Amino acid sequence: MSKIFVAGATGRVGQEVVKQLAAAGQEVLAAGRKLDRLPKGELITPVAFDFTWLPDQMAKLLTGVDAIVFTAGSRGKKSFTG
């Protein structure tokens, strides 16, 4: 079993990816800014994550992860600072 980090897990694509990975027996870290909107389940762990964090903050959540799936989108809004 792999541990897979899914960024943008509150969106339509992210939720479907999380669901399919868990159904395939993978351990999933479902990441997003709003914990209450993240998928939950036996193999799914919701985690708070924000792309405006400093890299060191992000790296802490990625320790021990085998793969990262990026599904985050902005829906046309600016999501990143800088």
Side-chain angles (χ1 to χ4, degrees):
M1 172 173 38
S2 297
K3 181 186 271 188
I4 303 172
F5 183 92
V6 179
T10 58
R12 291 174 302 200
V13 173
Q15 288 182 15
E16 185 63 27
V17 168
V18 168
K19 181 175 129 184
Q20 288 186 26
L21 288 169
Q26 303 303 318
E27 181 182 354
V28 181
L29 296 178
R33 286 178 291 177
K34 298 178 181 176
L35 274 175
D36 60 323
R37 292 184 53 207
L38 290 167
K40 298 165 188 70
E42 186 178 330
L43 293 172
I44 303 167
T45 303
V47 294
F49 189 82
D50 194 314
F51 287 104
T52 62
W53 289 351
L54 295 174
D56 289 347
Q57 291 173 285
M58 292 181 194
K60 291 176 187 174
L61 288 176
L62 301 175
T63 301
V65 169
D66 298 301
I68 299 169
V69 178
F70 183 90
T71 66
S74 68
R75 294 190 184 204
K77 300 175 188 170
K78 184 177 178 181
S79 297
F80 303 95
T81 59

